[in-house]
């Protein structure tokens, strides 16, 4: 027999699949039980009710996103600009399920304060971490934060546009937008130096 921990994780995995497919309204115990091919009653071995399931879903999503962003923005052998370009590529359609879950959680947050607070916590970590990469390029704090804000506005804005609208030039659009969002290291350092000189 599978352990209760593993079964709990299976319910969460099914809930994430339902969230990606149809949003928060699709995350229903009856539908999840059908997808898992188990009885509805087995759900209550692992969760008191749907509310507890949804709280666990949010917590799991938050922990996963924060862990991912910390790993993606950890300074490594790559130049910070390359790290930023690599991150943009991740948001550029290579992981449609992840983007579907992201947008579903954001839609959920418009109706539920508990989801809104989780989104805010994740976004704060994202902006802080990505601003750190821009700062490593030599940008002053306000510019680094503003760049991080634009970075995520573009990354998630892609998911709101119809894919067919730019299907014939999607790669070119992403490449050009990346060149606008992510400054070259030397150019960024020059701007920062000019700003310091102006203040002096």
């Amino acid at each position: 027999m599978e352990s209760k921990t593993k079964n709990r994780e299976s319910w969460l995995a099914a809930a994430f699949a339902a969230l990606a497919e149809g949003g928060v309204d699709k995350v229903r115990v009856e539908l999840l039980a059908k997808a898992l091919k188990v009885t509805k009653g087995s759900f209550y071995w692992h969760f008191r009710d749907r509310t507890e399931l949804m709280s666990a879903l949010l917590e799991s999503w938050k922990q996963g996103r924060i862990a991912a962003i910390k790993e993606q923005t950890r300074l490594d052998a790559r130049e910070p600009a390359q790290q930023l370009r690599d991150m943009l590529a991740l948001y550029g359609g290579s992981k449609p399920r992840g983007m579907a879950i992201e947008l579903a959680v954001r839609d959920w947050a418009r109706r539920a304060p508990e989801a809104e607070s989780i989104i805010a916590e994740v976004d704060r970590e994202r902006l802080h971490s990505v601003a750190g990469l821009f700062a490593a390029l030599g940008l002053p704090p306000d510019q680094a934060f503003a760049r991080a804000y634009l970075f995520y506005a573009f990354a998630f804005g892609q998911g709101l546009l119809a894919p067919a609208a730019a299907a014939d030039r999607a790669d070119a659009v992403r490449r050009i937008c990346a060149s606008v969002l992510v400054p070259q290291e030397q150019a960024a350092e020059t701007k920062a130096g000019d700003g310091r000189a102006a203040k002096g």
Side-chain angles (χ1 to χ4, degrees):
M1 179 181 292
E2 293 182 342
S3 69
K4 291 182 179 180
T5 300
K6 184 174 182 181
N7 282 337
R8 181 182 174 91
E9 292 171 353
S10 295
W11 281 99
L12 284 171
F16 274 117
L19 187 66
E21 181 182 345
V24 67
D25 293 333
K26 189 97 180 226
V27 185
R28 292 162 44 199
V29 177
E30 297 87 348
L31 295 177
L32 299 181
K34 184 177 180 180
L36 292 170
K37 298 180 180 180
V38 296
T39 64
K40 178 181 173 181
S42 68
F43 169 84
Y44 297 101
W45 282 97
H46 314 292
F47 303 95
R48 286 192 303 272
D49 48 30
R50 182 177 181 270
T51 299
E52 185 179 355
L53 168 67
M54 302 309 281
S55 295
L57 192 66
L58 280 174
E59 184 63 24
S60 178
W61 180 81
K62 181 188 79 172
Q63 290 180 5
R65 291 302 84 218
I66 289 178
I69 192 62
K70 285 184 176 180
E71 177 62 26
Q72 291 163 0
T73 58
R74 179 176 54 85
L75 291 175
D76 54 29
R78 293 170 296 167
E79 294 292 340
Q82 187 59 50
Q83 286 182 261
L84 288 163
R85 285 190 287 269
D86 289 345
M87 288 179 65
L88 279 178
L90 288 175
Y91 288 110
S94 60
K95 294 186 177 181
R97 182 176 182 271
M99 183 60 77
I101 291 173
E102 176 81 33
L103 296 178
V105 173
R106 289 185 177 279
D107 181 62
W108 182 5
R110 296 171 62 188
R111 297 175 275 166
E114 63 273 19
E116 183 181 17
S117 66
I118 291 290
I119 283 282
E121 190 173 346
V122 171
D123 282 350
R124 279 193 295 269
E125 182 61 41
R126 282 170 164 157
L127 291 170
H128 171 77
S129 297
V130 171
L133 287 179
F134 281 114
L137 290 174
L139 293 173
D142 285 347
Q143 288 189 34
F145 185 85
R147 289 269 186 174
Y149 198 94
L150 286 172
F151 181 97
Y152 277 110
F154 169 69
F156 296 137
Q158 294 178 84
L160 301 177
L161 295 172
D168 60 337
R169 59 185 68 183
D171 289 342
V173 167
R174 281 194 287 268
R175 185 175 63 255
I176 294 168
C177 287
S179 69
V180 172
L181 287 167
V182 182
Q184 296 299 317
E185 290 87 345
Q186 184 176 359
E189 291 171 1
T190 299
K191 287 183 181 178
D194 291 345
R196 287 191 294 269
K199 289 181 180 180

